[in-house]
């Protein structure tokens, strides 16, 4: 069996130095990004907000994230990767420090929305910068490490934050701001602008494609199912801490549950490809969504830490299985000239879920109690059926696009009109 050290050696080989600065900045950012995980508990414990009101305030963070993804994508292409990364991190650090000293709930809600914008803006720029500097044949390695750093950082953040939250929420927010500022310093010091003049000149040629993903029914069906999965997984950081508090569990117990999930993902990433290779993607996603639904649905019976830990084990396995086919399908459905636009629509599902999950979930938990978790599990089972129904058609479209890919490679000069028309055809896909 291959060791983690051997996997890292194979994965890390040949990556440029700029990538490692980006990777280090992301890791530091994630280790420090723990305050928003505990925002529901902070609102309930320190600001005495009801579950429903706490859900609305946390939902403001999700709404800000929706705007931040769009704004970050536009600025990364037009203003530059480096500037977008630098100024979004600086803004997030200032806003997080402001939240540390704010006591008014309306002001906290406003700051949460602005922090959501600042936290989501770097995402498209991070990915775009990695694509800019890493050769195509090494991007799979780079994104594996990107995903690994994200989850390793989140696991460390969750464990650390659980201890800090019990001593001082002020320290929690200020350390988060400091880690964000450290990332900004690394970007300012070591990361040059990776956006080339050729890319800038090419950008206006595909502006007509902004609406193309929104008329691609096959892609939108996939995005909708991904949104359901995102709503399920977002329960961990939005509704579950309130449920654990109602069961008399501490902040450190919540941090332990979240840390377990992050640690399992970090380790499981080494072995998931072996489990799913050779299986049809829609069936893998159906199994993954089913496990996730079962994990969250089982919280209806969880009253002690052990129950939450067992449930986290189940839904984390589901998340691990879902990640590779989700990324592959998103790449397969996106035409080459419109991959950025397709990525933007796809990644909107996560901040949108960060709004819907707490906004609806806070009210649901307050009035339904444990039945909330059964409802969450039921919604997940509907998504399982959705994958089984829509998956075969989606995979036929990908298979039928093989010949179109050869034609595209033979005639690379494609006009925006041709691209838009091709996207609407069920036989055309990205390479």
């Amino acid at each position: 069996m291959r060791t983690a050290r051997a996997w890292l050696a194979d994965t890390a080989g040949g990556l440029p130095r700029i990538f490692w600065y980006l990777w280090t900045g992301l890791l530091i950012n994630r280790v420090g990004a723990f305050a928003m995980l505990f925002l529901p508990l902070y609102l309930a414990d320190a600001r005495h907000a009801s579950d429903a009101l706490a859900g609305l305030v946390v939902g403001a963070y999700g709404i800000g994230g929706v705007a931040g993804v769009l704004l970050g994508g536009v600025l990364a292409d037009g203003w530059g990767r480096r500037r977008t990364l630098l100024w979004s991190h600086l803004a997030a650090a200032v806003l997080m420090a402001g939240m540390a000293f704010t006591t008014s709930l309306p002001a906290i809600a406003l700051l949460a929305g602005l922090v959501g914008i600042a936290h989501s803006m770097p995402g498209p720029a991070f990915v775009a910068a990695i694509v800019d500097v890493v050769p195509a044949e090494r991007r799979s390695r780079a994104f594996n490490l990107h995903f690994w750093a994200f989850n390793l950082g989140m696991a460390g953040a969750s464990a650390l934050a659980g201890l800090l939250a019990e001593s001082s929420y002020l320290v929690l927010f200020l350390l988060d701001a400091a880690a964000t500022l450290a990332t900004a310093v690394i970007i300012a010091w070591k990361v040059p602008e990776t956006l080339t003049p050729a890319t800038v000149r090419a950008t206006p040629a595909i502006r007509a494609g902004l609406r193309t993903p929104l008329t691609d029914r096959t892609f939108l069906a996939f995005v909708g199912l991904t949104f359901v999965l995102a709503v399920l997984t977002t329960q961990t950081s939005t509704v579950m801490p309130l449920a654990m508090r109602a069961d008399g569990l501490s902040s450190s117990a919540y941090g332990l549950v979240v840390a377990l999930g992050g640690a399992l993902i970090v380790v499981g990433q080494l072995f998931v490809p072996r489990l799913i290779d050779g299986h049809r993607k829609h069936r893998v996603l159906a199994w993954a969504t089913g496990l996730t639904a079962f994990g969250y649905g089982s919280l209806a019976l969880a009253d002690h830490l052990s129950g939450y830990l067992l449930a986290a084990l189940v839904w984390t396995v589901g998340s691990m299985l879902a990640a590779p086919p989700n990324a592959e399908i998103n790449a397969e459905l996106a035409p080459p000239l419109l991959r950025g636009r397709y990525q933007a629509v796809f990644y909107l599902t996560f901040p949108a879920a960060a709004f819907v999950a707490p906004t609806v979930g806070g009210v649901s938990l307050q009035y339904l109690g444990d039945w909330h978790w059964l409802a969450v599990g039921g919604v997940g089972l509907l998504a399982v059926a959705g994958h089984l129904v829509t998956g075969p058609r989606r995979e036929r479209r990908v298979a039928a696009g093989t010949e179109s890919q050869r034609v595209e490679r033979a005639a690379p000069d494609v006009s925006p009109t041709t691209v838009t028309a091709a996207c609407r055809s069920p036989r055309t896909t990205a390479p």
Side-chain angles (χ1 to χ4, degrees):
M1 184 178 293
R2 295 181 55 173
T3 65
R5 183 176 180 181
W7 178 83
L8 281 174
D10 289 346
T11 305
L15 293 172
R17 185 174 298 178
I18 295 174
F19 165 79
W20 287 110
Y21 293 134
L22 291 166
W23 185 89
T24 303
L26 175 68
L27 181 61
I28 294 173
N29 188 324
R30 288 298 91 194
V31 170
F34 38 59
M36 299 311 289
L37 286 174
F38 282 78
L39 184 59
L41 293 178
Y42 166 71
L43 292 169
D45 294 340
R47 301 299 164 220
H48 310 294
S50 67
D51 289 351
L53 183 56
L56 289 172
V57 175
V58 178
Y61 177 78
I63 282 291
V66 172
V69 167
L70 293 174
L71 181 60
V74 171
L75 291 178
D77 284 343
W79 196 32
R81 313 335 185 183
R82 184 177 185 274
R83 288 180 178 177
T84 303
L85 288 169
L86 178 60
W87 288 102
S88 60
H89 281 91
L90 288 173
V94 172
L95 291 168
M96 193 61 68
M99 288 192 71
F101 298 101
T102 302
T103 59
S104 166
L105 280 174
I108 291 173
L110 175 62
L111 286 171
L114 294 174
V115 169
I117 294 174
H119 274 180
S120 296
M121 282 177 60
F126 263 124
V127 174
I130 290 172
V131 173
D132 291 342
V133 302
V134 177
E137 65 274 11
R138 297 193 182 113
R139 286 174 191 160
S140 176
R141 298 178 181 181
F143 284 117
N144 275 334
L145 284 167
H146 181 270
F147 179 73
W148 186 77
F150 184 91
N151 286 285
L152 180 63
M154 288 299 293
S158 301
L160 179 61
L163 299 175
L164 289 173
E166 292 187 344
S167 59
S168 173
Y169 282 109
L170 175 65
V171 174
L172 189 73
F173 284 104
L174 290 179
L175 285 180
D176 192 319
T180 305
L181 183 61
T183 301
V185 170
I186 290 173
I187 292 166
W189 182 29
K190 292 294 186 179
V191 178
E193 179 53 63
T194 64
L195 183 64
T196 65
T199 304
V200 175
R201 288 194 298 270
T203 300
I206 59 174
R207 284 178 182 164
L210 284 170
R211 60 184 178 272
T212 301
L214 299 178
T215 60
D216 187 335
R217 295 181 181 179
T218 301
F219 175 69
L220 290 180
F222 169 64
V223 169
L225 294 170
T226 303
F227 171 72
V228 173
L229 183 62
V231 169
L232 265 62
T233 57
T234 306
Q235 301 291 315
T236 301
S237 60
T238 56
V239 181
M240 191 183 74
L242 300 175
M244 293 184 70
R245 176 176 172 270
D247 286 333
L249 297 172
S250 65
S251 298
S252 59
Y254 169 63
L256 181 61
V257 173
V258 178
L260 172 66
L264 286 173
I265 290 175
V266 170
V267 175
Q269 185 184 354
L270 303 175
F271 309 106
V272 165
R274 296 183 182 182
L275 295 176
I276 64 176
D277 281 350
H279 296 280
R280 297 180 68 178
K281 296 184 183 69
H282 75 279
R283 291 180 181 173
V284 174
L285 285 174
W287 274 102
T289 306
L291 285 171
T292 306
F294 179 77
Y296 284 103
S298 68
L299 290 183
L301 304 176
D303 295 321
H304 305 287
L305 178 59
S306 59
Y308 282 93
L309 290 172
L310 287 173
L313 175 64
V314 175
W315 74 59
T316 300
V317 171
S319 298
M320 287 159 47
L321 294 175
N326 261 337
E328 290 180 69
I329 292 169
N330 192 32
E332 290 169 348
L333 294 178
L337 293 181
L338 302 178
R339 281 177 182 151
R341 275 61 180 170
Y342 272 67
Q343 289 284 343
V345 174
F346 176 78
Y347 279 104
L348 278 177
T349 59
F350 302 104
F355 169 73
V356 171
T359 304
V360 177
V363 176
S364 175
L365 184 66
Q366 182 169 325
Y367 291 102
L368 297 181
D370 288 339
W371 286 93
H372 164 78
W373 299 112
L374 295 178
V376 169
V379 171
L381 292 179
L382 291 176
V384 171
H387 278 298
L388 294 175
V389 170
T390 63
R393 177 182 177 183
R394 183 174 62 232
E395 291 175 8
R396 286 194 298 269
R397 163 174 159 172
V398 172
T402 303
E403 187 61 31
S404 298
Q405 294 168 16
R406 296 195 187 104
V407 172
E408 287 173 6
R409 282 193 285 268
D413 187 15
V414 182
S415 69
T417 303
T418 304
V419 171
T420 302
C423 293
R424 292 173 178 161
S425 169
R427 295 183 56 83
T428 303
T429 62

